[in-house]
């Protein structure tokens, strides 16, 4: 279930970005996400809020998915490589 959720969230993330008419470059992605709150819709109908800070850290609240993700909240790191947003949680998704 956890791997399926990860695969779906990774698959859904680019779709949301692709819905926009223009493609963002690396600096535009960084500017857009710094200080932003992303509401990630999950396949099970819940939303996970993820806050991106300017120092490359992020935090999220699992809500009803805490038992699946292994913790009610987590932090992680985010960065931009090329024209892609990359992120890694400290606990969720087995910190992979």
């Amino acid at each position: 279930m956890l791997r399926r959720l990860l695969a779906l969230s990774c698959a859904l993330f680019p779709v949301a970005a692709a819905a926009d008419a223009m493609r963002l470059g690396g600096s535009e992605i960084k500017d857009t996400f710094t200080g932003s709150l992303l509401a990630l819709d999950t396949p099970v109908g819940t939303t996970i809020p993820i806050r991106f800070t300017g120092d490359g850290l992020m935090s999220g609240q699992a809500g009803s998915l805490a038992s699946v993700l292994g913790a009610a909240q987590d932090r992680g790191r985010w960065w931009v490589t090329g024209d892609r947003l990359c992120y890694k949680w400290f606990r969720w998704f087995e910190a992979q």
Side-chain angles (χ1 to χ4, degrees), residues 8-82:
L8 286 173
S9 67
C10 289
L12 293 177
F13 197 82
V15 172
D20 199 344
M22 63 180 209
R23 186 172 182 94
L24 299 177
S27 62
E28 296 164 318
I29 293 170
K30 187 169 183 171
D31 291 344
T32 299
F33 278 88
T34 299
S36 295
L37 177 67
L38 173 72
L40 180 66
D41 292 330
T42 68
V44 295
T46 61
T47 300
I48 298 177
I50 302 171
R51 179 159 310 276
F52 295 84
T53 63
D55 60 358
L57 293 174
M58 61 183 183
S59 61
Q61 301 291 324
S64 62
L65 291 176
S67 62
V68 175
L69 294 174
Q73 58 189 8
D74 196 7
R75 295 177 1 149
R77 296 214 175 270
W78 71 276
W79 64 97
V80 176
T81 299

